[in-house]
Amino acid sequence: MKRQTKIEIGVGAFVLISLLSLAVLAFQVSNFTGWKDRPTYQVSALFDNIGGLKVRAPIKLSGVVIGRITSIEVDPASFKARVSMKIDQGFNELPMDTSASILTSGLLGDQYIGLEPGGDEEVLMNGDEIEMTQSAIVLEELIGQFLVKFGEGE
Amino acid sequence: MANARQKIQSLCQSTGQSSIELVANFGRGTLFILGVLSATPSALLRVDLLLKQLYVAGVQSLPIILMAGLFVGMVLSLQGYNVLVDYNSEEAVGTMTALSLVRELGPVVAALLFAGRAGSALTAEIGLMRSTEQISALEMMAIDPLKYIYAPRFLAVLISLPMLTLLFTALGILGGYLISVGWLGVDEGAFWSQMHSHVDWHDDVMNGIIKSVAFALLIAVIALYQGFNAIPTSEGVSGATTRTVVHASLGVLALDFMLTTLMFN
């Protein structure tokens, strides 16, 4: 009987500390947001050049993450890159003339999409397209332009 | 001429023998695994047997897993800090430690230690039970050894390794925290917030848990089968125990490579 009690206490403590470490991994280490995704809506935008933008990159409004990129593909009609993104339903009052630009966090960081709200009365709905976009800054092109300017100056 | 014919004949014979042996082994293994799997539901009804095995496989593996996790996390953060400090981004040491532990080192190192600590003991125990004819005695008493011996051990391994992996990972991150924040002076807020924003629950933590369940399955099958298949002599049991550790460790590493290419590509 005594041995059985010892086993039960040991296994019970084992299960409890495992659950505790699962909770630590879920809430302290990773961004656990529940099993079900929060409601979102889809919008898309056309970019001339997406640089190194990747699927699942964040969408930021004033630096706060409000959504993620769901897919990136080439638009067959205009040969531009179509970036689809889902935005949290809590931010469903973005004006129609919101502009999207591809930015880089820090000098060497990952690229993300920054939204800049405009002043339109109408708001972006599910399936809408953001008209005003600004492509990623490609460092090589920038250096190329600088060299051309530098050569002309001589 | 006759000599050459004899040589070819014996070559054919030995190839045939080993092929038949291989197929027979494979068949025995598959039948054994199917038997254990079909006996597993009834093992859930005998909670006392399962608890005892959870205690032996899980609770008694705790000290080695916890100590190893702490030290692995400490070493990771120490080495990561040395590289990252050159780029002025030493806050990323938390992200690096957490990601490498959650994705790879946690499941793999915990599984390797578990194979050595609990898998070998399992094989030796079952092998000795067979060599001392305890399993035959159970069969004589009309007790199904699959339900009484194998299934509780199988379930216990399947349950305890993922739990030990969670503990290993959490302790490793704690070790990294102690070294980088407590000793090396990394900013505490940046340490946690960077980790929090870069480690994903579904992509990183869940995939790590899935990995450890797969490793547990592999270790359980190998350890039980080696014990079941051991030649019932002291030499046979020791050979089976060695094979368990070697096969399970290599299997874990190879399976980890395959799962990583599937999950993180």
Side-chain angles (χ1 to χ4, degrees):
Chain A
M1 190 59 218
K2 188 130 184 296
R3 178 156 168 75
Q4 187 65 21
T5 326
K6 193 179 137 202
I7 287 175
E8 280 167 5
I9 291 172
V11 174
F14 176 40
V15 172
L16 284 180
I17 56 170
S18 307
L19 289 178
L20 184 74
S21 56
L22 180 67
V24 168
L25 287 182
F27 298 112
Q28 178 79 15
V29 174
S30 76
N31 46 2
F32 180 68
T33 47
W35 297 99
K36 236 168 64 182
D37 285 341
R38 276 191 289 182
T40 55
Y41 65 102
Q42 286 267 352
V43 294
S44 65
L46 286 177
F47 289 95
D48 289 328
N49 189 338
I50 57 158
L53 196 67
K54 293 196 177 66
V55 174
R56 287 191 53 78
I59 316 292
K60 292 186 183 178
L61 177 69
S62 310
V64 181
V65 178
I66 61 165
R68 301 243 166 229
I69 292 175
T70 51
S71 73
I72 299 173
E73 53 211 6
V74 174
D75 186 51
S78 61
F79 299 122
K80 289 182 175 181
R82 176 174 295 281
V83 176
S84 305
M85 53 195 111
K86 56 177 187 191
I87 296 176
D88 199 303
Q89 195 68 56
F91 303 92
N92 58 357
E93 291 185 2
L94 291 171
M96 200 67 198
D97 58 348
T98 296
S99 69
S101 30
I102 298 176
L103 305 168
T104 310
S105 50
L107 202 59
L108 298 167
D110 289 334
Q111 288 184 308
Y112 63 94
I113 289 187
L115 296 182
E116 192 73 36
D120 207 320
E121 297 272 303
E122 268 187 273
V123 295
L124 280 172
M125 306 289 276
N126 192 26
D128 277 353
E129 191 184 313
I130 295 176
E131 303 281 340
M132 278 186 284
T133 61
Q134 193 193 336
S135 292
I137 295 170
V138 181
L139 209 60
E140 296 92 303
E141 283 179 10
L142 215 64
I143 294 171
Q145 282 173 2
F146 172 74
L147 285 178
V148 169
K149 283 260 171 63
F150 192 69
E152 281 170 356
E154 263 185 273
Chain B
M1 193 63 197
N3 200 8
R5 225 188 81 193
Q6 246 174 7
K7 265 190 180 159
I8 291 171
Q9 204 173 10
S10 75
L11 181 75
C12 281
Q13 194 180 4
S14 66
T15 314
Q17 265 175 356
S18 51
S19 310
I20 291 169
E21 184 62 27
L22 188 76
V23 173
N25 232 329
F26 192 74
R28 266 201 302 274
T30 311
L31 280 180
F32 174 72
I33 293 163
L34 287 179
V36 172
L37 282 179
S38 67
T40 302
S42 59
L44 282 171
L45 297 175
R46 291 293 304 272
V47 184
D48 55 328
L49 290 177
L50 180 63
L51 272 182
K52 170 135 195 292
Q53 292 312 318
L54 273 178
Y55 187 79
V56 172
V59 179
Q60 293 191 340
S61 304
L62 274 178
I64 183 176
I65 292 280
L66 297 183
M67 290 297 283
L70 199 65
F71 283 122
V72 166
M74 279 155 67
V75 166
L76 265 181
S77 64
L78 205 56
Q79 289 291 358
Y81 179 83
N82 281 337
V83 176
L84 290 168
V85 79
D86 289 344
Y87 301 98
N88 265 334
S89 49
E90 61 267 25
E91 293 86 12
V93 73
T95 314
M96 196 210 75
T97 312
L99 275 183
S100 36
L101 275 169
V102 166
R103 285 182 178 178
E104 299 289 343
L105 283 175
V108 171
V109 178
L112 291 179
L113 290 173
F114 188 78
R117 167 68 183 74
S120 58
L122 218 58
T123 305
E125 190 190 12
I126 292 173
L128 273 175
M129 278 181 174
R130 277 177 61 83
S131 75
T132 51
E133 292 178 345
Q134 294 181 44
I135 290 182
S136 309
L138 281 178
E139 275 169 352
M140 288 295 289
M141 293 188 284
I143 295 172
D144 187 357
L146 278 177
K147 288 180 184 166
Y148 190 76
I149 302 284
Y150 296 112
R153 286 167 173 74
F154 177 78
L155 257 184
V157 169
L158 215 57
I159 295 170
S160 28
L161 182 55
M163 281 164 49
L164 290 170
T165 301
L166 287 174
L167 282 165
F168 183 96
T169 309
L171 257 281
I173 291 168
L174 177 71
Y177 168 78
L178 289 178
I179 288 294
S180 44
V181 175
W183 185 24
L184 299 170
V186 174
D187 182 61
E188 183 172 356
F191 180 88
W192 288 118
S193 67
Q194 274 220 15
M195 189 192 293
H196 196 85
S197 64
H198 280 86
V199 181
D200 190 76
W201 166 255
H202 288 276
D203 288 357
D204 298 323
V205 181
M206 279 314 284
N207 275 343
I209 295 173
I210 292 170
K211 265 188 181 179
S212 74
V213 173
F215 296 160
L217 206 62
L218 185 81
I219 292 173
V221 166
I222 290 177
L224 289 179
Y225 181 65
Q226 289 295 351
F228 168 78
N229 204 30
I231 302 161
T233 59
S234 38
E235 244 183 359
V237 173
S238 90
T241 312
T242 311
R243 273 199 302 279
T244 294
V245 177
V246 173
H247 290 186
S249 306
L250 286 179
V252 164
L253 292 171
L255 187 62
D256 178 57
F257 172 71
M258 287 187 258
L259 289 177
T260 299
T261 49
L262 283 179
M263 287 169 173
F264 302 110
N265 239 345

